Amino acid sequence: MSALYPTNIALTNFDDLQPNAFTVPLTVVPFSSTYKDVIKFRCCTLYPPKANAAKVATRERPPGCRTVFVGGIPDNASEDILKEVFSIFGTVTAIRMSKKNFCHIRYEDEESVDKALIFSGHRMKINEQDDAANTGRLHVDFAQARDDQHEFECKQRALRREMRHRGTGGKVTYSLCDLRFSEHETVTLIEKLKNEESFADSVRVLIAWLEKGECRKKNCSQFYSALQTISSQTRRLQNERTEFETEIQNAKQLYASRMQSLLTQ
């Protein structure tokens, strides 16, 4: 077994397993960016692509994406089999099957979508059958789902309402710190950090993410970019404050000088 995988994976029936193969319980969430070994489930087996295989292209990630497109599934792949395979990345809330060898799988959170793309390029074989109805090469990609888009737009509207309420002193009905972390939200947050009006609220969101432990090895570069943006924005604001204070001091001196001239006359 490769050292990349958790040590608590339970192998079953060692005599039946092929070399470099292991079984995955539903509770295991893989933390490796790629699978290089054969993965055995109860009713199917996933075979990784060849080492020299071309990287599978993916479309641009839609905002708030929680659904993946899975193409190339075998004819005999049932909803239960697909749920068993893709549930290791997170809680599956819905599976929409199609008669054309593809389906859409919706997750509870956005992070699971990025993990599920790991299986793109793997060959699925059901019950070790080699016929066309029981084997197929998977293609996993981001899906443009209306449900995801609707929820994302609702969150954006709630965020705008919250910012308006904060500006007018209204009652707060939505907490910015409850904004769910995702790669897309991080990119959006960095842009908001560059805006003086949304700077303070965006800093609070970033602090909340850090306190929740969202900063990990795979996304630390995004957090570093956000911190750099905060640093540069803070320096700019400090420089502007210094300039304003200097202008105010000069204006006071000019006012005092002119008042003295008027009194002298």
Side-chain angles (χ1 to χ4, degrees):
M1 186 186 303
S2 173
L4 289 174
Y5 306 103
T7 57
N8 62 344
I9 292 179
L11 292 174
T12 59
N13 196 358
F14 289 87
D15 296 334
D16 295 337
L17 293 180
Q18 301 177 8
N20 295 328
F22 61 91
T23 57
V24 182
L26 294 180
T27 56
V28 172
V29 178
F31 53 85
S32 175
S33 61
T34 180
Y35 276 115
K36 299 180 181 179
D37 295 335
V38 177
I39 310 170
K40 297 183 71 69
F41 294 89
R42 286 194 296 266
C43 299
C44 70
T45 305
L46 292 186
Y47 295 87
K50 296 181 180 179
N52 58 352
K55 186 177 180 180
V56 181
T58 58
R59 69 178 67 180
E60 183 179 355
R61 194 185 205 281
C65 180
R66 293 200 288 120
T67 305
V68 292
F69 165 87
V70 183
I73 59 178
D75 293 336
N76 292 337
S78 65
E79 182 175 331
D80 291 336
I81 291 177
L82 293 172
K83 186 172 183 179
E84 177 189 6
V85 172
F86 285 92
S87 288
I88 66 172
F89 299 116
T91 303
V92 174
T93 59
I95 297 180
R96 294 189 292 272
M97 302 291 294
S98 172
K99 297 180 180 180
K100 298 182 179 180
N101 300 94
F102 71 87
C103 70
H104 290 88
I105 300 176
R106 193 165 196 248
Y107 284 100
E108 189 176 47
D109 55 72
E110 297 182 26
E111 290 77 9
S112 300
V113 172
D114 299 310
K115 298 176 183 177
L117 266 62
I118 295 173
F119 279 167
S120 191
H122 281 62
R123 178 169 293 280
M124 174 181 285
K125 185 182 293 186
I126 300 175
N127 295 326
E128 299 300 331
Q129 301 294 320
D130 294 325
D131 56 293
N134 289 290
T135 183
R137 187 170 298 280
L138 302 180
H139 173 66
V140 187
D141 201 350
F142 300 114
Q144 185 75 44
R146 294 180 180 178
D147 294 341
D148 298 343
Q149 184 178 3
H150 175 70
E151 289 189 7
F152 175 76
E153 291 174 353
C154 288
K155 288 182 180 180
Q156 293 299 306
R157 287 194 294 268
L159 181 60
R160 287 193 292 269
R161 286 197 300 269
E162 161 64 11
M163 297 183 71
R164 287 198 299 269
H165 289 161
R166 285 178 178 270
T168 58
K171 184 179 179 181
V172 176
T173 58
Y174 179 83
S175 175
L176 284 172
C177 296
D178 291 336
L179 189 65
R180 186 184 294 273
F181 169 80
S182 68
E183 292 184 3
H184 173 76
E185 293 294 350
T186 307
V187 174
T188 304
L189 184 72
I190 292 175
E191 293 300 320
K192 291 181 179 180
L193 287 170
K194 300 176 183 178
N195 189 329
E196 186 174 345
E197 295 180 356
S198 58
F199 177 76
D201 289 331
S202 300
V203 170
R204 295 189 187 98
V205 173
L206 183 63
I207 293 174
W209 285 349
L210 290 172
E211 291 177 346
K212 292 177 182 178
E214 298 290 358
C215 182
R216 300 182 179 90
K217 184 177 180 180
K218 66 177 183 179
N219 59 21
C220 62
S221 60
Q222 292 179 308
F223 279 89
Y224 180 71
S225 299
L227 293 174
Q228 281 187 317
T229 304
I230 292 175
S231 178
S232 60
Q233 184 75 343
T234 302
R235 287 196 300 269
R236 186 184 67 81
L237 293 174
Q238 288 178 340
N239 292 335
E240 289 182 356
R241 178 180 177 179
T242 302
E243 293 176 359
F244 290 152
E245 290 178 348
T246 302
E247 291 178 1
I248 291 174
Q249 187 65 27
N250 293 336
K252 288 181 178 180
Q253 293 177 356
L254 180 61
Y255 174 78
S257 175
R258 290 185 176 179
M259 287 297 296
Q260 185 65 32
S261 299
L262 290 174
L263 293 175
T264 303
Q265 293 176 0

